[in-house]
Amino acid sequence: SAVLGSGEQWISWIHMEDVIRAVKFIIENQMLGVVNLVSPNPVRQKDIAAELARAYRRPLIKIPASLFKLLGEQGRFFISSQRVIPERLIFMNFQFLYPDLEKITIPHGVKEL
């Protein structure tokens, strides 16, 4: 796994089980409009990279931001930051099974991403 640039950029993520449960919840509650399907706890990119390196027993490498800047506008995607919160799901009292990255486990038999 790799730390991209400083690694301080925010990453919004969600466990697949929570995606499925949230879609069902949205349908059952007839929620209209935009609903952010993300965990209520975004993480820093360096933290998710470290967790993946730990889970897959791989080294953690650092890729300098300057390499991404050479790619122009497309490269900035990798070092940009968005801290998205699922405000509507929280307001509707949706209960996440996996709100925190630390609770995620890698399934047996999975070797690489």
Side-chain angles (χ1 to χ4, degrees):
S1 189
V3 175
L4 309 179
S6 70
E8 292 297 320
Q9 56 272 37
W10 288 103
I11 302 287
S12 295
W13 65 279
I14 187 168
H15 191 281
M16 186 57 72
E17 276 189 60
D18 281 336
V19 169
I20 294 166
R21 292 178 59 255
V23 169
K24 182 179 177 198
F25 182 86
I26 291 165
I27 293 168
E28 289 172 350
N29 289 280
Q30 300 178 5
M31 295 173 68
L32 302 175
V34 175
V35 178
N36 293 322
L37 293 181
V38 296
S39 160
N41 299 308
V43 295
R44 299 285 184 171
Q45 192 276 327
K46 65 182 180 182
D47 296 327
I48 200 166
E51 186 65 24
L52 287 169
R54 181 200 61 76
Y56 289 107
R57 297 184 185 116
R58 302 277 189 227
L60 185 62
I61 62 172
K62 185 169 172 54
I63 302 174
S66 58
L67 289 178
F68 294 103
K69 291 177 182 174
L70 291 173
L71 299 172
E73 195 61 38
Q74 289 112 355
R76 289 189 172 105
F77 166 80
F78 293 100
I79 54 174
S80 64
S81 181
Q82 286 197 353
R83 191 168 192 255
V84 180
I85 304 295
E87 292 177 358
R88 292 189 63 208
L89 288 173
I90 292 169
F91 179 79
M92 294 290 291
N93 295 315
F94 175 75
Q95 298 299 309
F96 289 86
L97 293 178
Y98 302 96
D100 301 303
L101 188 63
E102 295 80 28
K103 295 183 179 181
I104 305 296
T105 57
I106 304 300
H108 295 291
V110 175
K111 304 229 187 258
E112 296 184 33
L113 289 175

